[in-house]
Amino acid sequence: MLTANRSDIGRVRQVNEDYSWVSQYNNGVTLAIVADGMGGHKAGDVASQKAVDAFRSTVEQGAAKPDLSLQEGKMLIRQAISSANEAVYDLASRNDQYYNMGTTIVAALVKSDNAIIGHVGDSRAYKIAEGDITQLTVDHTLVNELVKSGQLSEEEAAHHPRRNVLTRAVGTDSHVEIDIQTIDLMQGDVLLLCSDGLSNMVTEEQILETVTSEQLELDAKAEHLISLALHAGGDDNITIVLLQDAVGANREERVG
């Protein structure tokens, strides 16, 4: 599995409140997570890092199991995101300066020809395959609820002033509803996990064109997506994780 993990503070924010992590194991499992924190002064970056740390400590031992089944993987992702929720909520409950902080999460567990996606909030997962791009996750936002109920069009939603208001987040309540799904992966397919600093600034067409480029290796594709978001204004922190099966992918030198 080839991986690329990139984050940029953007052109507007003073702090990068995004946090991401990618790891691969000897049993063929690859884990990845992107979290986009929110809250008061310095609370967003605390929330996202706390969530990823809790996710990681819960998921690592189980993910390395030699014969991890699909069902076990789904339970593991759910448990890990629940642990992240508990960790952030507990910290916020005990510290006034972290009151009401929270974070989005989008995570993937990839093994052979399957990927398990878990998410809360508006950080997204996309699948790029056979020249097409598919948004796998559904944004947990007020504006998306208005679109689903027919009160807003897709075009109106894209520019709505409250498009970043979440209906669900990790750490804001003692329990959180987690969306889990399983998708099939073919050789050469690419999974993209990202914060809304990318998806709000860069079109699906631009993402597709970049990821399917035969001139760029995976790291360069991630860097180019960051540059597109910055060129579009860089209004938010931008975080990108790309995952691609090494078979059928462009070869690249791996460092570190």
Side-chain angles (χ1 to χ4, degrees):
M1 180 72 68
L2 299 178
T3 68
N5 182 8
R6 295 288 183 275
S7 189
D8 193 281
I9 195 170
R11 299 193 185 280
V12 176
R13 299 296 180 94
Q14 300 300 308
V15 177
N16 192 342
E17 297 182 328
D18 290 356
Y19 202 79
S20 58
W21 170 72
V22 180
S23 188
Q24 300 189 66
Y25 301 91
N26 292 333
N27 62 350
V29 166
T30 299
L31 278 171
I33 182 173
V34 170
D36 180 357
M38 60 187 190
H41 180 62
K42 289 195 173 179
D45 56 329
V46 171
S48 59
Q49 184 167 351
K50 186 74 173 177
V52 172
D53 288 347
F55 177 94
R56 179 177 178 174
S57 64
T58 302
V59 83
E60 277 197 299
Q61 187 172 357
K65 182 181 176 184
D67 55 347
L68 184 72
S69 71
L70 198 61
Q71 195 60 35
E72 288 172 329
K74 290 168 72 174
M75 290 176 60
L76 195 57
I77 288 290
R78 187 177 298 280
Q79 289 169 355
I81 296 177
S82 293
S83 295
N85 187 76
E86 291 169 12
V88 175
Y89 182 75
D90 180 62
L91 184 61
S93 300
R94 290 185 289 105
N95 295 271
D96 289 343
Q97 71 267 36
Y98 297 145
Y99 172 73
N100 211 33
M101 75 173 178
T103 183
T104 69
I105 279 182
V106 61
L109 187 157
V110 183
K111 185 178 182 185
S112 60
D113 56 355
N114 292 110
I116 300 161
I117 309 293
H119 93 286
V120 178
D122 63 352
S123 292
R124 292 180 179 178
Y126 292 92
K127 176 181 172 181
I128 295 94
E130 299 180 333
D132 287 320
I133 181 169
T134 304
Q135 181 180 330
L136 301 173
T137 51
V138 175
D139 293 346
H140 300 140
T141 60
L142 174 63
V143 163
N144 194 50
E145 291 296 325
L146 294 175
V147 170
K148 288 196 291 185
S149 66
Q151 296 178 63
L152 280 181
S153 68
E154 293 281 359
E155 293 73 24
E156 290 170 331
H159 304 287
H160 197 280
R162 302 190 69 195
R163 66 182 182 275
N164 294 325
V165 175
L166 299 178
T167 55
R168 205 187 300 179
V170 167
T172 55
D173 294 288
S174 57
H175 299 282
V176 67
E177 185 180 351
I178 303 161
D179 287 2
I180 304 282
Q181 60 180 300
T182 306
I183 63 163
D184 295 329
L185 288 179
M186 304 282 286
Q187 290 180 359
D189 290 356
V190 177
L191 273 182
L192 164 63
L193 309 183
C194 66
S195 61
D196 66 345
L198 179 76
S199 55
N200 280 345
M201 306 304 293
V202 180
T203 66
E204 288 190 359
E205 290 74 17
Q206 288 174 303
I207 295 172
L208 180 61
E209 183 180 357
T210 300
V211 173
T212 56
S213 169
E214 296 182 359
Q215 279 71 49
L216 299 175
E217 296 177 343
L218 203 66
D219 281 333
K221 291 174 181 180
E223 293 286 0
H224 186 63
L225 289 172
I226 294 276
S227 69
L228 287 173
L230 291 171
H231 183 72
D235 293 350
D236 202 349
N237 310 140
I238 311 148
T239 300
I240 295 165
V241 170
L242 291 173
L243 307 173
Q244 184 173 27
D245 192 319
V247 180
N250 290 333
R251 297 294 175 177
E252 62 180 353
E253 292 297 318
R254 303 286 293 153
V255 179

